[in-house]
Amino acid sequence: MSVIRAVTTGLLAAVALVGCSSLQPGEPRTTSPASGNQGFLRTQLEQALFNEIVVRFSAAHPGPLEPKDYQNLLTELEQTVALTEISSLQQQTLNALRKSAQPHPPEEPAPGLAAWVAQELAALRRIRASLGTTDPGLFQTVGPTRAARQQFLGLIEASIETHRVLNPLGLRFSDLPPLLVKPSLLDAQTAFFYQPDDASIRITAASFNDLSFPEAEVIALIHGLPGSHFLRQPIGTSLFSDAQTENQNAMAILLLAAMGHVAFYQTPYSQIARIDFLTLSLARYQKAMRPAQTFAQFQASIGPSHYAPDRLQRAFSSAAALPRALILQGHALRSLSTKTDLSISAAQTHEATLTKAQRNGLLRHLNRLAWPLDAVDSASDDV
């Protein structure tokens, strides 16, 4: 890597000729005006140098990064690269670096997040109550038999294929690797999850007794298409891996909520399973923000659902164990919901299709998940 940097730096020096004087410590690097092929070559080399510095830094700092780490990288980029020549994606990385180099705010979640979660939860409970009790025959659990489990896995695969064909958001699925759906023997804290190493959706073997057949569609949407399998494809930089993971998780939840605007997903079969999952997700954010919340309070925040008490207990315990990640995810979901003008709860009662502005907002933010998202400004805290 040092060889690449040396060659790149040498080429940059040759292109710039005598136009650049020696830099003093802390002085940003600039280049002299150029035209034609010379300018194009210089731009390409500056962008290559930017990438090389970021890749080298990421390899040397695999763990969680502190503001001082981001500041060190920012300083090196400012002193080494002509930042007027970088690409739009590199500019996003630079902007995120400048924000991340600032001291962390207090760990306590912003009051606006707590109020937003409480508002959405209350609305979802009202919508859920209006749908009445679930049909026991419709929400039959998968159970222990091999045939029932294979049927459930088949339903997930069929739901993924259905969404691929419908593709209501017009997303590009053709470049994705094959997606597997299979049981997992791991003792995971969650009933189902996406495994990026082999591009698979895993269903925890012990959870089949708790899962109901309508949940196959939710799993397909949240972890298949348009969820994790689509969202986890590499983009941008790995510098902000914690934020990127929770941004992707938040976007998967928002895309699931958006299916309330799609006629195919407006049947009671789909609505109840989707609303219950969205409600449980938001309740976990609330638990993460309220360490003293009891299990009884957690159940009350959810209201009626098809989930068994044991399932809710596991969700409660996992939320207590992962407060930082869930709060980060909650902030991301609130930001995405606000900036795309797509309410989690309102989408479950709105039979009209997504507006052009909402769809464009979703598509635009799909390209921003690798970087920390902008916080909702104070003017929007009461929305």
Side-chain angles (χ1 to χ4, degrees), residues 165-182:
V165 174
L166 288 175
N167 198 7
L169 295 175
L171 302 176
R172 182 170 179 170
F173 299 144
S174 58
D175 296 336
L176 298 177
L179 175 60
L180 305 174
V181 181
K182 53 188 178 181

Side-chain angles (χ1 to χ4, degrees), residues 57 61 63-77 93 96-102 104 238-243 372:
F57 180 89
H61 300 78
L65 300 178
E66 298 295 328
K68 64 179 181 180
D69 299 315
Y70 290 117
Q71 182 59 58
N72 290 339
L73 175 57
L74 180 61
T75 300
E76 182 175 1
L77 288 170
T93 297
L97 277 173
R98 287 171 174 157
K99 292 178 183 178
S100 300
Q102 303 301 313
H104 287 314
S238 61
L239 279 175
F240 313 100
S241 56
D242 287 351

Side-chain angles (χ1 to χ4, degrees), residues 70-235:
Y70 290 117
Q71 182 59 58
N72 290 339
L73 175 57
L74 180 61
T75 300
E76 182 175 1
L77 288 170
E78 288 176 339
Q79 294 182 357
T80 309
V81 181
L83 298 177
T84 56
E85 303 291 337
I86 62 178
S87 69
S88 59
L89 287 179
Q90 290 173 335
Q91 186 64 53
Q92 288 192 58
T93 297
L94 187 67
N95 294 342
L97 277 173
R98 287 171 174 157
K99 292 178 183 178
S100 300
Q102 303 301 313
H104 287 314
E107 286 291 323
E108 297 178 7
L113 176 61
W116 177 80
V117 168
Q119 177 179 303
E120 288 283 19
L121 272 174
L124 286 171
R125 284 196 301 269
R126 288 194 297 270
I127 297 168
R128 181 64 172 82
S130 70
L131 296 175
T133 58
T134 58
D135 181 350
L138 186 63
F139 278 80
Q140 181 181 358
T141 56
V142 178
T145 68
R146 179 181 177 84
R149 294 183 177 195
Q150 286 301 123
Q151 181 184 357
F152 185 70
L153 298 178
L155 281 174
I156 297 174
E157 293 174 343
S159 297
I160 292 169
E161 177 60 17
T162 296
H163 190 86
R164 186 191 68 78
V165 174
L166 288 175
N167 198 7
L169 295 175
L171 302 176
R172 182 170 179 170
F173 299 144
S174 58
D175 296 336
L176 298 177
L179 175 60
L180 305 174
V181 181
K182 53 188 178 181
S184 171
L185 298 178
L186 296 176
D187 185 18
Q189 291 184 322
T190 182
F192 46 85
F193 58 95
Y194 180 75
Q195 182 66 45
D197 294 343
D198 63 352
S200 66
I201 296 175
R202 304 293 188 96
I203 312 299
T204 309
S207 70
F208 280 107
N209 292 336
D210 297 326
L211 290 167
S212 60
F213 282 100
E215 289 184 82
E217 184 176 271
V218 170
I219 296 171
L221 292 169
I222 202 77
H223 286 316
L225 303 178
S228 301
H229 186 57
F230 173 71
L231 297 172
R232 295 288 180 90
Q233 300 311 304
I235 183 173

